[in-house]
Amino acid sequence: MLWFAYQGKPHWVAGTFLLLAATDWMDGKLAVLLDQRSEVGPKLDTIADVTVYACLLGATLWLHHLTMLAEFPFLVAAIGSYAVSVLYSLYKFRCVPSYHTRAAKTCWLFMTIGVLSLFLQWTTWPLRIALVAVTLTNLEAILITYLAKEPLSDIAHVGLVRKRIEERGA
């Protein structure tokens, strides 16, 4: 995505993001379908997600820096809340969170729509909605970290934290 942005090819950036989002979705579905869940899988998925979003952010800022100035508060809230979530988990558990909540999975859809809307120069409202959703999802991750007694992964929502801890303790 960064290379395509540098080359001035926004449609290729958007297409690459769509491809990566689709393969991430398929990977998750296949892991569940084939019962191929592991301890390291969610961690690798988190690394891949962060890498994709970092490259998307760089490409977007490169190609749409003036438009993104108007979205700055939304962007700061999303990135800032993610930073707090990661730092809190590092402080409490000495690891990066890999919760993969339903809200986080829904944010992929919102981000996909928002990125398409931005790169096809329709409107920025879907991107704003996605960034607000990301911020709320990060707040849920912070709450999960607060409530959890040990690092967790692949937890659907904050309401399942106690149940998940009881299962691991049994």
Side-chain angles (χ1 to χ4, degrees), residues 81 85 99-105 133-147 155-161:
S81 61
S85 173
Y99 300 133
H100 298 103
T101 61
R102 284 189 196 133
K105 293 173 184 178
V134 167
T135 302
L136 294 173
T137 298
N138 292 334
L139 293 175
E140 180 186 36
I142 292 166
L143 185 56
I144 290 170
T145 301
Y146 175 76
L147 294 172
I155 184 129
H157 56 83
V158 69
L160 297 177
V161 172

Side-chain angles (χ1 to χ4, degrees), residues 52-116:
V52 167
Y53 275 126
C55 291
L56 177 64
L57 176 62
T60 302
L61 291 174
W62 183 271
L63 292 169
H64 299 286
H65 52 276
L66 294 177
T67 302
M68 293 308 291
L69 278 175
E71 309 311 316
F72 187 73
F74 299 99
L75 196 58
V76 167
I79 294 171
S81 61
Y82 182 72
V84 169
S85 173
V86 169
L87 290 172
Y88 184 39
S89 182
L90 285 170
Y91 170 75
K92 186 170 180 180
F93 299 126
R94 300 191 198 298
C95 66
V96 175
S98 58
Y99 300 133
H100 298 103
T101 61
R102 284 189 196 133
K105 293 173 184 178
T106 303
C107 284
W108 266 105
L109 175 62
F110 289 165
M111 283 303 295
T112 301
I113 294 167
V115 167
L116 279 176

